[in-house]
Amino acid sequence: MNYSLQETLMKNIRFAYNEAIEFIVSMGMLACEDQLADLAAEYKIEIDELLGTYFEDARKLLSPHFTRELMFFFRHNFFHNALDFPLYESACSYPEAQTAEEWINRLADSPAEHIVSEMVYGVYHDNMEALLKGNDWEVVKRDLNKLLELASDTQPQPEVIEAHGPLLECLARPQETKLRYIQLLRQFHQDVFIHWKDRIQAISEQASLRYEAQFRSNPEVFIRELHKNEPALFDFPATFHVSFVSQVNNSFYNFHTETGLIGWVIFGVHNDRVYGPVADREKTELFLKAFSDKRRLDLLLLLKQRPHYGKEIATALGITPAAVNYHANFLFFLDLLDIERVDHRLYYVLRTDTLRNLLALTTKVMLD
């Protein structure tokens, strides 16, 4: 056991419910509800009935106009930030948990130009080299006319291609975009979230107590096995927000602020269902399903040669970084991958011992 690493994790990681983050997640999940259903089917997890009731209630309470606005800003690939990125940047760059209302008021004080430039970053964060064409992001992000020119000439990754048109519209009308953004947030809070926030918080906090106890019993194992990340990454303060609405999630946001690096993890209430033990037959079914997609098999064979980092994999397999994350998550579920940090890069490492065990288990289930 690495005691110094354990001590660092205990010092830097805390658990706290952040209503502002849960509010943002709620809007995104409602807009992408079908993607959530597909993910649940693929991972063989059952979505909480209460979450379905929440979404159904939200659809009834939200007017047709604000439903269209919700889809405009949030209806893209849920696993790839796009026009919603300024919301996460605003909430997750603040060190303390906030209520949704407090956070909306803070966002309303942000310049429209900053909000829209962060939308650009959300859409292009994994394609910045193509977007910038040699320009410096820190300079260009302050010039919306230049950003509009660059974005008009650059297609986003396939996962968020549908966000391209809305992004150009936002760049052309930043003040109007900010007004629409804030109005949508306030209306969703007033019409939907305020009626559900106490129930959502109670469930999230109950799960948070359980996960915090697991973390404290062995921080390194918790980060590796349930967060599926490299423990050495947490050399700065980070807070785990356990989210009922997202159900299964391991998103890690970190931002440089005036006081240093700040991190927030959005951790699903049912992460233990996905990343915990799975029954033999179910694990065999998922193992076979994992390699029914040629890209996952190609990924495994690539890692069999040596560890690779995300951009290397994307280039070698001809897929996007977001697609690498998507397929890697399925292999994480089967415990086939580890992550290791080397020289500030995160490398995916194949767990050959687990692969052998799964192959043996599959043979047992199929032939015995």
Side-chain angles (χ1 to χ4, degrees):
M1 181 181 291
N2 187 337
Y3 285 100
S4 61
L5 178 57
Q6 299 279 52
E7 290 167 359
T8 298
L9 293 173
M10 290 288 285
K11 174 187 174 184
N12 286 340
I13 292 176
R14 63 176 182 144
F15 287 71
Y17 180 75
N18 191 327
E19 184 183 282
I21 290 177
E22 195 72 353
F23 175 80
I24 299 166
V25 171
S26 291
M27 297 181 75
M29 295 299 284
L30 178 61
C32 301
E33 186 180 0
D34 56 332
Q35 296 177 34
L36 174 63
D38 290 343
L39 180 69
E42 184 166 24
Y43 282 89
K44 294 183 176 293
I45 59 173
E46 189 174 338
I47 300 297
D48 278 349
E49 186 177 340
L50 184 63
L51 184 62
T53 304
Y54 172 45
F55 287 158
E56 183 180 350
D57 197 37
R59 287 192 295 270
K60 290 177 182 176
L61 293 169
L62 209 58
S63 73
H65 167 70
F66 283 110
T67 298
R68 288 191 294 271
E69 289 289 88
L70 179 75
M71 295 308 203
F72 179 89
F73 288 112
F74 287 89
R75 175 62 185 169
H76 307 296
N77 190 308
F78 184 74
F79 306 101
H80 189 302
N81 286 125
L83 305 187
D84 59 344
F85 183 74
L87 308 182
Y88 287 99
E89 185 267 342
S90 173
C92 296
S93 60
Y94 195 75
E96 302 301 326
Q98 307 167 81
T99 68
E101 193 169 11
E102 288 170 341
W103 165 73
I104 293 170
N105 290 334
R106 284 186 60 248
L107 184 66
D109 291 334
S110 297
E113 294 76 13
H114 175 76
I115 290 173
V116 174
S117 68
E118 291 300 319
M119 288 181 177
V120 176
Y121 186 84
V123 172
Y124 287 101
H125 69 268
D126 53 0
N127 201 24
M128 291 295 279
E129 187 175 341
L131 171 73
L132 293 175
K133 298 177 175 60
N135 289 280
D136 184 341
W137 170 249
E138 293 301 317
V139 175
V140 171
K141 72 179 183 181
R142 298 179 177 87
D143 184 348
L144 294 192
N145 289 327
K146 183 64 175 179
L147 275 181
L148 178 58
E149 175 190 330
L150 293 171
S152 297
D153 292 339
T154 310
Q155 290 286 305
Q157 298 284 18
E159 289 86 354
V160 285
I161 191 66
E162 292 181 2
H164 193 217
L167 175 64
L168 298 181
E169 182 179 330
C170 293
L171 278 166
R173 299 174 177 83
Q175 296 299 332
E176 177 186 304
T177 296
K178 177 184 171 180
L179 288 174
R180 291 171 61 191
Y181 219 33
I182 300 301
Q183 190 176 20
L184 171 61
L185 297 175
R186 286 184 168 145
Q187 204 69 37
F188 188 85
H189 183 264
Q190 173 186 306
D191 290 351
V192 179
F193 190 74
I194 200 167
H195 305 294
W196 281 84
K197 65 176 188 173
D198 291 340
R199 274 179 284 181
I200 290 171
Q201 180 172 349
I203 296 169
S204 298
E205 288 186 331
Q206 185 178 20
S208 184
L209 290 172
R210 173 165 52 86
Y211 283 124
E212 184 173 8
Q214 291 182 43
F215 167 76
R216 292 191 175 280
S217 69
N218 194 322
E220 186 175 353
V221 168
F222 180 89
I223 297 300
R224 289 192 187 281
E225 300 300 324
L226 281 177
H227 181 41
K228 293 298 179 184
N229 218 330
E230 167 57 54
L233 287 176
F234 291 90
D235 55 0
F236 58 89
T239 306
F240 275 63
H241 162 77
V242 178
S243 169
F244 166 70
V245 175
S246 62
Q247 299 277 289
V248 175
N249 201 335
N250 256 325
S251 301
F252 186 17
Y253 292 91
N254 55 86
F255 296 95
H256 288 279
T257 69
E258 293 179 356
T259 58
L261 201 57
I262 292 172
W264 281 89
V265 173
I266 305 175
F267 191 87
V269 292
H270 295 320
N271 273 20
D272 53 357
R273 292 186 188 177
V274 172
Y275 301 116
V278 183
D280 286 354
R281 182 181 176 87
E282 185 174 330
K283 184 170 280 191
T284 298
E285 290 175 7
L286 289 168
F287 180 61
L288 293 172
K289 183 176 181 179
F291 302 111
S292 64
D293 189 315
K294 180 180 180 297
R295 290 164 294 187
R296 290 184 192 134
L297 180 59
D298 290 341
L299 173 55
L300 184 144
L301 293 175
L302 185 68
L303 296 180
K304 179 173 172 286
Q305 300 170 18
R306 64 170 176 81
H308 288 68
Y309 59 90
K311 192 171 182 180
E312 272 188 312
I313 297 171
T315 301
L317 301 185
I319 59 178
T320 66
V324 172
N325 290 337
Y326 175 79
H327 293 300
N329 278 337
F330 202 98
L331 300 180
F332 274 128
F333 179 28
L334 290 166
D335 226 15
L336 283 166
L337 299 184
D338 271 333
I339 284 184
E340 292 181 0
R341 182 169 69 169
V342 179
D343 296 331
H344 305 292
R345 281 182 173 151
L346 293 178
Y347 284 80
Y348 293 96
V349 180
L350 177 64
R351 298 183 65 170
T352 53
D353 55 338
T354 303
L355 178 58
R356 290 192 185 94
N357 291 338
L358 284 170
L359 288 168
L361 178 62
T362 302
T363 301
K364 176 178 179 293
V365 171
M366 298 288 288
L367 299 180
D368 287 0

